[in-house]
Amino acid sequence: MTTELPSAESVQPTDRGQAVIRTVAMPTDTNPAGDIFGGWLMAQMDMAAGNVAARRARGRCATISAEAMTFHRPVFVGDEVSLYAWIVKTGRTSMRIQVEVWRREREGEATMKVTEGLFTFVAIGPDRRPRPIPEEQREV
């Protein structure tokens, strides 16, 4: 008897910390075919990346691009959707944030990566103009 090891795309990441967002896909989130609408997933990804950006910039940020979007597998009504997001590059006023979306069937424990993308955010000041990102705070 052989035991099949899970593929890299079937085990949620453990090196990213906790999911930034964890939600359940609902019937109102579907497209005309009955699957979860890709636009809903993109909005969830933008919120997750925006959360990471605002924490790092310690203030308001704006999305300036979403790129390298890849939809690997569909998401279905009732699936638990977990979004992981982390900063891959920080500039003077902008950040690039990678986001991965994982699904878990409602009645099971198996997970799989369904979507990933790269988002760019700019820190915004009170005048709604780009502002420098503060130095990173070190945890004590």
Side-chain angles (χ1 to χ4, degrees):
M1 181 169 116
T2 62
T3 304
E4 187 175 322
L5 295 174
S7 73
E9 289 191 352
S10 66
V11 179
Q12 287 190 30
T14 57
D15 61 341
R16 312 275 192 244
Q18 297 280 336
V20 177
I21 295 175
R22 193 175 306 264
T23 189
V24 175
M26 300 299 287
T28 56
D29 305 322
T30 59
N31 61 26
D35 298 329
I36 296 304
F37 178 51
W40 178 81
L41 279 174
M42 286 184 71
Q44 297 297 312
M45 294 169 77
D46 190 39
M47 285 190 287
N51 186 358
V52 170
R55 286 186 78 175
R56 174 60 186 85
R58 296 195 294 276
R60 183 176 179 171
C61 293
T63 309
I64 60 168
S65 75
E67 57 188 280
M69 294 295 300
T70 306
F71 293 91
H72 300 287
R73 294 185 170 93
V75 174
F76 303 104
V77 171
D79 285 350
E80 178 186 81
V81 178
S82 300
L83 295 98
Y84 296 85
W86 61 95
I87 297 171
V88 294
K89 183 179 179 188
T90 303
R92 192 177 76 76
T93 63
S94 66
M95 294 162 269
R96 292 172 65 82
I97 299 168
Q98 182 70 35
V99 181
E100 287 183 359
V101 181
W102 291 72
R103 71 176 272 262
R104 181 185 61 79
E105 294 176 358
R106 189 169 183 83
E107 294 85 22
E109 293 302 317
T111 61
M112 64 186 66
K113 182 166 54 171
V114 294
T115 308
E116 61 187 315
L118 185 61
F119 290 74
T120 303
F121 280 78
V122 168
I124 302 294
D127 60 354
R128 298 183 182 254
R129 305 280 305 150
R131 67 172 171 84
I133 296 170
E135 292 293 320
E136 196 164 7
Q137 292 181 332
R138 302 283 181 216
E139 291 183 23
V140 179

